[in-house]
Amino acid sequence: MSSLTIYRRELSSYFSQPTAYAIIVIFLFLSLGLTFSFGNFMRVGDSSLEWTFFFWQPWVFMLLAPAVGMKLWADEQRTGTIELLGTFPVSTWSAILGKFLAAATVWFVAIALTFPIVITVNYLGDPDNGAILSGYIGAFLVCCTFLAITMLVSACTRDQVVCLIVSVAICVLMVLCGYDDFTRELAKAVSPGFVEGIVSIGVWDHFRSLNRGLFRLQDFIWFGSIITVCLLGTSAILSAKRA
Amino acid sequence: MIEVVKLTKQFGSKLAVDHLSFSVKKGEVLGFLGPNGAGKSTTMRMVTGFIPPTSGDAKVCGISIVDQPNQAKQKIGYLPESAPLYQDMTVIGFLKFCAAIRGLTGSAKNEAVEKAIETCFLQSVARQSIDTLSKGYRHRTCLAQALLHDPEVLILDEPTDGLDPNQKHEVRQLIKRLGETKAILFSTHILEEVEASCSRAVIVDRGRIVADGTPAELIAQSGSGSLTDLFRKVTTRDTEPTAEAAA
Ligand SMILES: Nc1ncnc2c1ncn2[C@@H]1O[C@H](COP(=O)(O)OP(=O)(O)OP(=O)(O)O)[C@@H](O)[C@H]1O
Ligand SMILES: [Mg+2]
């Protein structure tokens, strides 16, 4: 119940200020722009959207998702409103949940607004819409994972800029780690076991399979557990800071 | 209604609050005095459940803030020292949010918000965005937030800070009026306020109570008929050489 109140407040704060609009516009511009330019959307005729569209999503998210999440706790600590929140009869956990869902909703809207591309492929060809849907689910999960990481970082600092830089760095690492070109280079230098370890913290392995329309339980568990761990960590950091 | 038992807070090696015990009954207004850094705000933060005490406990209406924080917090209205607010909201939007989070809905919520706006004289700025408010109005908005759910216990950290003389007077009257039916704990640096609205006052210094009594008793204790003299006598001044420095 109190989660819902906090969710509503956060969401209206995103949409009463330029933040959400700016990020949504930049996101649409980048993801559709990359699809039509480097993705060679018109020439390749990739109706599943796997390589032309979804391929770019993690690269865009790693830069933009932290921009949505950075204010969540950093701002609360800078302005001192955390003292209000901490003395309202709500648990830290419901505040965390409300805030996280609000940020996720902003991204849900942003991702949903890429629908013209789905209409286009359906008009031009005969795509597997199930695979496209699962690609979208994968993209949203990657985004939520990055948001959860940003939230964890924002609990540690009152400075939004520090939060943005640190969380982008972590997200970039997670995108690079499982990326084929990167791991191939890495494999030349270090042992295969180490490479495997690196790949396992990257997002690609899990994102790819969803792109192909495969619903593997392990992928959902992977995304789910990272998100849960980050949210639990946020709660732990917030209580540790007050002590 | 507020019962503080051996409350202690240690920040690293610094003892901010040192086995503090006091109680405030219903119908009582307790003034909380003390020099800067005495531990007033820290005590209030512990009583309101914002920071956990190192040891000791505080009971609000018989409910322990340590064991049952959510139930205890429902009984408390709290005005933090810096009067923090969500800058991106309007005054009325903010108050509605606070009322909703306190569990008020529908017409009860709207009535509570209207009443708080009236009590704190916020009608003229109700639809203004908080980031364009003057300091005094911000302070009053945050005070309104503390009154919304008509709590049994009010904890106000420097409620008259930043207010103009008219508003200072109004807030003192308000505290006195509310104090008849509630238990109020408020801190201040203005000693006249103690005489104007408190039924009892304590002076804390370095986390300990050094004087306790009704305003009249304290004035008698000072010997010279002035609270300021007593305050200067019982508290440590930054201008004096400290014990460690002297040694
Ligand atoms: N989070 C914290 N970490 C470390 N020390 C702290 C913290 N919060 C407060 N203190 C210290 O505890 C002591 C008491 O601070 P507190 O804010 O309670 O004083 P105060 O009585 O409210 O003073 P003022 O009249 O200036 O408001 C101070 O010495 C302060 O430096
Ligand atoms: Mg203080």
Side-chain angles (χ1 to χ4, degrees), chain A residues 1-2 5-6 9-10 12-14 16-17 71 76 79-91 99 239 241-243, chain B residues 9 11 45 48-52 70 73-74 76 78 80-82 84-89 94 97-98 100-102 105 142 145:
Chain A
M1 194 48 224
S2 44
T5 313
I6 290 169
R9 197 208 80 75
E10 291 293 329
S12 72
S13 141
Y14 275 122
S16 67
Q17 296 203 306
K71 72 157 198 166
E76 202 94 30
T79 59
T81 42
I82 191 158
E83 196 166 348
L84 283 179
L85 213 52
T87 53
F88 286 146
V90 298
S91 62
K99 279 167 178 279
S239 3
K241 275 199 136 183
R242 285 193 211 157
Chain B
K9 185 72 202 181
F11 289 115
R45 287 189 180 129
T48 51
F50 178 58
I51 53 177
N70 277 359
K73 283 172 184 174
Q74 275 163 9
I76 306 175
Y78 175 47
E81 185 167 34
S82 54
L85 299 165
Y86 290 106
Q87 305 285 339
D88 50 14
M89 302 177 97
F94 172 73
F97 163 70
C98 294
I101 220 165
R102 296 278 185 189
T105 49
C142 204
Q145 160 277 132

Side-chain angles (χ1 to χ4, degrees), chain B residues 11 14 16 34-42 45 81 158 189:
Chain B
F11 289 115
K14 185 171 173 58
N36 294 137
K40 303 182 295 293
S41 302
T42 307
R45 287 189 180 129
E81 185 167 34
E158 304 193 19
H189 287 300

